[in-house]
């Protein structure tokens, strides 16, 4: 089990930018393709101050085959610096059309005006909200502070049995987990011996 490491996410964002003409061009092209469906696997709740890290998360999750909503990519006209009724309605619509929400924790997330609201809204909507810890070092453990500790958390790791392809896992602890796709279908994390 491995948490998403900040240095890896920054490197993934940089690699994604280098492969394409420019970051704005690639974001516009990718967002246009996703708009057609308007349904997402993951609503990524994050601090805008972590833009480079978030871009890395977005690329990494898309590499795994998931459609991920990021507000500043998909709804570029939203006001992020102040809370408005219009912005809240757009975000509600996007969360209702997302199967789950990942709350990306970082040193900047505690200052976000929107993240706690998004987490609570999605949890109340379908109880498919999880924490995506962004680790500074190689670590395999996560203990959420305060209210974040009541939510499961996300890790990436190979499937048990030797398949080298990385998959997302929803965990309650290092020994209580389930594949992300199974969790979306109603299976709760299972305690392993």
């Amino acid at each position: 089990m491995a948490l998403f490491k900040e240095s890896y996410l920054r490197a993934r964002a940089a690699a994604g930018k280098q492969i394409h003409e420019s970051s704005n061009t690639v974001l516009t092209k990718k967002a246009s393709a996703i708009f057609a469906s308007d349904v997402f696997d993951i609503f990524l709740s994050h601090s805008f101050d972590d833009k480079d890290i978030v871009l890395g998360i977005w690329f990494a999750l898309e590499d795994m085959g998931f459609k991920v909503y990021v507000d500043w990519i998909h709804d570029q006209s939203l006001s992020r610096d102040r809370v408005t009724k219009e912005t809240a309605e757009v975000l509600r619509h996007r969360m209702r059309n997302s199967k789950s929400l990942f709350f990306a924790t970082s040193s900047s997330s505690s200052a976000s005006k929107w993240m706690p609201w998004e987490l609570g809204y999605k949890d109340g909507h379908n109880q498919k909200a999880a924490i995506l810890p962004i680790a500074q070092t190689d670590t395999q453990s996560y203990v959420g502070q305060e209210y974040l500790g009541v939510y499961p958390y996300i890790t990436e790791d190979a499937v048990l049995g030797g398949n080298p392809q990385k998959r997302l896992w929803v965990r309650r602890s290092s020994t209580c987990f389930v594949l992300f796709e199974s969790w979306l279908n109603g299976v709760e994390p299972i305690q392993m011996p």
Side-chain angles (χ1 to χ4, degrees):
M1 141 180 101
L3 299 180
F4 284 85
K5 190 174 171 189
E6 182 177 332
S7 59
Y8 161 75
L9 296 171
R10 288 185 188 281
R12 181 61 188 93
K17 288 179 185 178
Q18 291 171 0
I19 291 170
H20 300 86
E21 309 89 287
S22 73
S23 60
N24 285 338
T25 303
V26 67
L27 294 179
T28 301
K29 286 179 182 176
K30 285 177 140 310
S32 295
I34 292 174
F35 282 134
S37 72
D38 196 37
V39 174
F40 299 90
D41 297 307
I42 301 161
F43 179 103
L44 188 57
S45 180
H46 64 281
S47 169
F48 188 69
D49 292 340
D50 294 325
K51 190 174 182 178
D52 288 339
I53 298 167
V54 169
L55 185 59
I57 294 170
W58 189 53
F59 281 131
L61 294 175
E62 284 210 333
D63 290 347
M64 296 171 123
F66 299 109
K67 287 198 251 179
V68 181
Y69 173 79
V70 176
D71 61 352
W72 50 268
I73 295 172
H74 298 96
D75 292 311
Q76 296 177 5
S77 63
L78 286 181
S79 172
R80 283 168 212 76
D81 55 347
R82 58 190 173 94
V83 177
T84 67
K85 188 176 183 178
E86 294 76 21
T87 298
E89 188 49 43
V90 169
L91 293 176
R92 279 188 200 104
H93 169 75
R94 294 299 195 175
M95 285 187 278
R96 286 190 301 266
N97 288 327
S98 296
K99 297 174 187 173
S100 66
L101 176 141
F102 288 1
F103 184 99
T105 61
S106 69
S107 58
S108 304
S109 60
S110 61
S112 172
K113 296 175 186 177
W114 289 102
M115 290 179 70
W117 178 81
E118 291 166 347
L119 181 63
Y121 183 86
K122 188 61 179 173
D123 185 35
H125 174 249
N126 71 354
Q127 299 181 340
K128 294 299 177 196
I131 309 305
L132 191 150
I134 300 169
Q136 298 293 317
T137 60
D138 288 327
T139 184
Q140 297 184 353
S141 63
Y142 169 74
V143 178
Q145 295 177 324
E146 300 172 354
Y147 66 94
L148 297 182
V150 303
Y151 293 94
Y153 64 97
I154 301 298
T155 62
E156 64 171 349
D157 204 353
V159 176
L160 299 175
N163 184 341
Q165 182 182 5
K166 294 231 175 167
R167 301 286 297 276
L168 291 181
W169 296 87
V170 178
R171 296 184 177 272
R172 291 272 177 206
S173 71
S174 62
T175 58
C176 183
F177 51 88
V178 67
L179 273 171
F180 173 67
E181 294 89 343
S182 297
W183 181 69
L184 284 181
N185 289 320
V187 178
E188 289 299 311
I190 299 165
Q191 181 66 45
M192 298 297 168

